[in-house]
Amino acid sequence: MPGPVFLEGETVSLRTFESEDVEWSHELVNHPNVWGPLGVTEPTSLADAREWFESSDDSGAVEFVVSVDETPVGTIRMKPPDEAFGVAELAYKIHPDHWGNGYATDAIRTICGYAFETRRLEKLYAVCFDTNPGSASALETAGFTQEGRLRKHWFTEGERVDVLQYGLLATEWFDEN
């Protein structure tokens, strides 16, 4: 049974990540079009995915399943915030069957509202490879600004790639919303 909806976006719902979602998430992260752009270097076993789920409650991260009409289309995660500085990193993935629909952008915007309005964080940041223009576009459309480029910082899918860092300040969020 899917977890309850926690946050509603314009087109997506963010619901709690439940044990029933582990197998679907495991298939998503191992999808041939997903693991490379995520920087995953080894396949993840279902046992590893279940172990991650069992230990994730202790991390302080907030993990959601991104759903459209109760169908899972991806995940989004706010890593444990640095409480002293009021910053947290976002990470997300959308199944390739659902790319190009704006679901990543809507999920990012929705979790930003939660981070800034409810958790009162000062800044969110995210990274993506320069070879993943869809991810960069989702961040930029959600209001993030590219803050840096780590040149040839990661090796994925047989090549060295630049890592782009994006950030969004709470003041920018409130000015736009």
Side-chain angles (χ1 to χ4, degrees):
M1 176 175 180
V5 171
F6 187 77
L7 298 168
E8 287 279 357
E10 289 183 24
T11 58
V12 303
S13 298
L14 304 186
R15 64 175 178 77
T16 58
F17 197 99
E18 303 294 337
S19 60
E20 294 84 5
D21 298 308
V22 171
E23 188 170 329
W24 177 85
S25 177
H26 165 255
E27 291 172 8
L28 175 60
V29 78
N30 284 308
H31 189 287
N33 296 340
V34 173
W35 65 264
L38 286 179
V40 176
T41 58
E42 298 176 0
T44 302
S45 71
L46 186 54
D48 289 342
R50 286 191 177 116
E51 183 179 319
W52 166 83
F53 175 76
E54 295 300 325
S55 66
S56 65
D57 286 341
D58 301 333
S59 74
V62 179
E63 180 98 23
F64 294 110
V65 173
V66 179
S67 297
V68 175
D69 298 326
E70 298 185 20
T71 300
V73 298
T75 64
I76 190 164
R77 181 176 206 229
M78 184 173 75
K79 295 184 179 180
D82 182 319
E83 299 295 340
F85 298 107
V87 300
E89 182 179 6
L90 296 183
Y92 50 90
K93 54 189 171 290
I94 301 294
H95 193 284
D97 290 349
H98 301 283
W99 287 354
N101 293 307
Y103 298 150
T105 299
D106 192 27
I108 293 166
R109 284 183 177 147
T110 303
I111 205 166
C112 284
Y114 169 72
F116 295 133
E117 297 167 16
T118 302
R119 300 290 296 268
R120 294 183 288 175
L121 295 177
E122 177 58 31
K123 179 180 181 178
L124 292 174
Y125 67 95
V127 298
C128 67
F129 299 145
D130 68 343
T131 55
N132 189 349
S135 186
S137 177
L139 288 165
E140 290 168 7
T141 304
F144 282 68
T145 299
Q146 185 181 330
E147 297 179 328
R149 174 183 292 265
L150 301 171
R151 297 176 301 140
K152 306 297 180 200
H153 190 74
W154 201 268
F155 187 81
T156 185
E157 298 181 284
E159 66 178 320
R160 285 262 166 214
V161 298
D162 293 357
V163 174
L164 308 178
Q165 180 153 340
Y166 284 86
L168 178 64
L169 302 176
T171 53
E172 296 167 333
W173 169 260
F174 288 114
D175 286 348
E176 294 295 319
N177 297 287

